[in-house]
Amino acid sequence: MILKFVPTNGKPLERKLEHENLVLKHALLSKQFFQSVSYLRPDMFSDKFIRNAWQVIKRMYEKTSQLDFIELSNLLSIEPPAIYDFTEIPGVQSQAGLAASKIFKKYSVVNVHSKLLNMLAKPELTEADLERAQDFIRESLYTVSARRVKSLKEIGKEAMDFVQRQMKTGIEFPWMSKKLNECTGGLLRSEITTLAALPGHGKSTFAVQQSLLWAMAGADVALFSLEMKGSALLLKLASGLTKIPYERIFLGKLSHDETVYLEGVMLEIASQAKSLTVIDDLFSIDEIESYVYQHKPSVVVIDWIQMIDTNADAVRTYAIGDILKTIKQFSQRLDIATLIVAQHKRDFEMRSRERLLRHADSFILPLDSDISDSSAVEKVSACIIHLFDREKILRTGCPEELRGILDFIVTKERYLHPGFTKMRKQPDLTFKEIED
């Protein structure tokens, strides 16, 4: 049965709560159905819970291109009407509601309905209410479809699969540094690795170069470039490979031959890294999360984390903490290897400069607390790598033998051990490890 609400002369419509439940349920299960009744306004529903739920559903479909409600029914192998009822309102008895309750119990999801009811049972919803309900529905959908208790035997099999894969293929997503690989085991699936540095020290260049290498090796890499347009990134890479100064490229001061050469190099980069996708127009964690769940890349690189939109009303530390928790959740749920780029605080630069002015070759050991929003970053990161360029600190006062040399310091490593290495930044913007 498909219920159609047809406004008549602005008069209130005759409605039945069961019919409204049906519309709400089918709208959740099918975007096509939702579009057929998208003209419905919240005030056309008689129950405040359903009015508020309708606002949330409408908002979710407007903000994302695809919601996997149908995929959910396939995963559960049950009839769609039995999945989501969202009704459990006193006085309403429905087979769908009872079936939904059984499903939630089966998949160990506790009090999902009651929580959502509490979130939506308000006379009017604020923007923050809509955001919370939207996140809750998305998370609940994943939980219902995928969450289940694993036996030790199943976990042991997963562990041995990992060991055998390591033995067969080696590190899946290696760094361009042998020593970093020895310390960290490369970029790991289901974990977050943080690369931190001061502005201008090369963290974005390193992250982009690593993304290219992983893509050229066959990994499906999603690079979220929040600081720089994708076109600017590609031009910068091409500048290093062609040896044409970036300033001339940026100002358009190129000869015809240089233009042809530059275009050829960019096409070559694109052909060798076909599985690298650069996304430069998504700035909220909701947009990033929706993209990841839809496309399911094997590697996610976010440059840089402090550029993600936060709620203006929220305390910044808590907002960044929520963003990082969301990133950790999709990394672990989808078994994605994630690299996030973060920034050091300015007082670390001042402290380092004072020491380097006394001894230019002093070893500078950054602390994890030197990272902006460090408390949130430390909690979710399995590995933290600090990148340090003393030439950028000393500028013209840097000795010639130290120019172009970058320190990479692993201060946190959950599985292996901290470590240190030096790499030289090449003219083509690649990095080469300096042997002892």
Side-chain angles (χ1 to χ4, degrees):
M1 173 186 177
I2 296 181
L3 178 69
K4 292 186 178 180
F5 289 124
V6 182
T8 55
N9 302 323
K11 295 179 180 179
L13 304 173
E14 292 186 8
R15 319 172 185 89
K16 289 186 178 181
L17 202 54
E18 292 85 351
H19 292 172
E20 295 181 9
N21 284 334
L22 194 64
V23 172
L24 182 65
K25 179 171 58 188
H26 281 284
L28 277 165
L29 293 169
S30 168
K31 184 174 182 179
Q32 185 177 0
F33 175 82
F34 171 78
Q35 289 172 337
S36 72
V37 293
S38 60
Y39 60 84
L40 292 176
R41 302 189 311 273
D43 59 88
M44 292 180 178
F45 295 93
S46 59
D47 184 81
K48 67 178 180 181
F49 167 74
I50 296 180
R51 286 198 298 269
N52 290 340
W54 189 256
Q55 283 183 267
V56 175
I57 296 167
K58 193 167 185 177
R59 179 187 180 87
M60 290 175 74
Y61 276 128
E62 287 171 350
K63 290 187 67 175
T64 57
S65 59
Q66 177 183 345
L67 296 174
D68 293 333
F69 295 104
I70 294 299
E71 181 181 333
L72 175 64
S73 65
N74 294 334
L75 286 167
L76 293 177
S77 300
I78 57 173
E79 292 299 315
I83 295 177
Y84 258 89
D85 191 60
F86 288 118
T87 56
E88 295 195 2
I89 301 169
V92 176
Q93 298 294 327
S94 71
Q95 291 300 314
L98 293 172
S101 298
K102 290 178 182 178
I103 290 166
F104 280 114
K105 289 177 183 176
K106 178 180 178 182
Y107 286 88
S108 305
V109 184
V110 182
N111 298 325
V112 172
H113 280 189
S114 60
K115 287 181 181 179
L116 192 62
L117 276 170
N118 291 334
M119 295 170 74
L120 299 179
K122 298 181 179 181
E124 291 188 14
L125 293 181
T126 64
E127 187 75 13
D129 291 331
L130 287 170
E131 290 286 350
R132 281 194 294 271
Q134 176 183 321
D135 292 343
F136 183 78
I137 290 175
R138 183 186 291 117
E139 185 174 348
S140 297
L141 278 171
Y142 182 88
T143 306
V144 172
S145 63
R147 181 179 173 184
R148 66 188 185 87
V149 177
K150 296 179 182 177
S151 67
L152 282 176
K153 184 177 180 180
E154 290 174 306
I155 295 172
K157 184 178 183 305
E158 287 183 4
M160 287 310 301
D161 287 344
F162 169 78
V163 172
Q164 289 170 1
R165 186 172 66 244
Q166 292 288 83
M167 292 172 64
K168 184 178 180 181
T169 62
I171 295 173
E172 187 174 12
F173 307 119
W175 303 107
M176 61 182 85
S177 159
K178 180 181 176 182
K179 290 182 181 176
L180 283 183
N181 287 328
E182 290 172 353
C183 293
T184 67
L187 191 71
L188 299 180
R189 284 185 180 271
S190 297
E191 297 291 1
I192 292 177
T193 296
T194 297
L195 175 68
L198 287 163
H201 280 225
K203 58 186 182 296
S204 294
T205 304
F206 183 80
V208 172
Q209 287 287 355
Q210 276 294 168
S211 300
L212 272 174
L213 290 174
W214 291 325
M216 290 167 67
D220 184 7
V221 182
L223 169 60
F224 293 92
S225 180
L226 309 184
E227 185 181 24
M228 192 182 298
K229 290 287 289 183
S231 56
L233 277 178
L234 188 56
L235 285 174
K236 202 167 186 180
L237 288 172
S239 168
L241 294 171
T242 59
K243 307 295 191 296
I244 302 173
Y246 184 69
E247 293 79 4
R248 286 178 52 208
I249 295 175
F250 186 79
L251 295 173
K253 296 181 177 180
L254 301 176
S255 67
H256 174 72
D257 289 345
E258 286 175 328
T259 305
V260 172
Y261 182 33
L262 179 67
E263 184 177 8
V265 167
M266 289 196 292
L267 289 173
E268 182 66 21
I269 294 172
S271 67
Q272 290 187 23
K274 291 180 180 178
S275 59
L276 172 62
T277 304
V278 179
I279 306 100
D280 59 8
D281 58 351
L282 301 182
F283 292 92
S284 75
I285 190 59
D286 283 342
E287 293 172 324
I288 292 172
E289 183 186 26
S290 295
Y291 179 94
V292 171
Y293 274 105
Q294 184 174 347
H295 296 277
K296 298 178 177 61
S298 52
V299 175
V300 167
V301 179
I302 301 177
D303 180 24
W304 43 284
I305 192 67
Q306 281 87 5
M307 289 291 289
I308 296 179
D309 285 343
T310 57
N311 187 337
D313 297 328
V315 177
R316 177 171 177 80
T317 302
Y318 295 149
I320 290 291
D322 288 341
I323 287 170
L324 288 168
K325 280 192 289 185
T326 299
I327 295 171
K328 173 59 180 173
Q329 286 166 3
F330 69 61
S331 298
Q332 190 156 329
R333 285 170 174 168
L334 301 179
D335 198 26
I336 292 171
T338 300
L339 174 66
I340 62 173
V341 178
Q343 190 159 292
H344 281 145
K345 299 172 184 174
R346 284 294 183 180
D347 58 353
F348 169 63
E349 180 179 14
M350 296 170 61
R351 193 172 74 241
S352 303
R353 182 173 174 79
E354 289 174 2
R355 185 170 177 182
L356 291 175
L357 286 173
R358 293 194 296 269
H359 301 285
D361 59 350
S362 295
F363 176 70
I364 303 296
L365 178 63
L367 304 174
D368 292 342
S369 58
D370 289 321
I371 302 172
S372 297
D373 307 297
S374 57
S375 59
V377 172
E378 286 181 82
K379 286 178 184 177
V380 301
S381 300
C383 174
I384 297 178
I385 303 172
H386 299 267
L387 188 160
F388 184 74
D389 184 352
R390 65 193 67 238
E391 182 183 355
K392 296 290 183 181
I393 299 290
L394 293 172
R395 301 182 182 91
T396 56
C398 182
E400 187 63 33
E401 65 272 14
L402 298 177
R403 292 183 180 276
I405 296 178
L406 307 180
D407 294 351
F408 287 79
I409 307 114
V410 180
T411 54
K412 178 183 178 181
E413 173 48 50
R414 182 174 294 162
Y415 299 103
L416 295 176
H417 54 82
F420 167 79
T421 190
K422 289 179 179 287
M423 298 180 75
R424 185 180 296 278
K425 191 175 181 180
Q426 305 292 100
D428 62 355
L429 302 183
T430 58
F431 297 78
K432 184 177 180 181
E433 189 162 43
I434 298 174
E435 300 294 335
D436 290 334

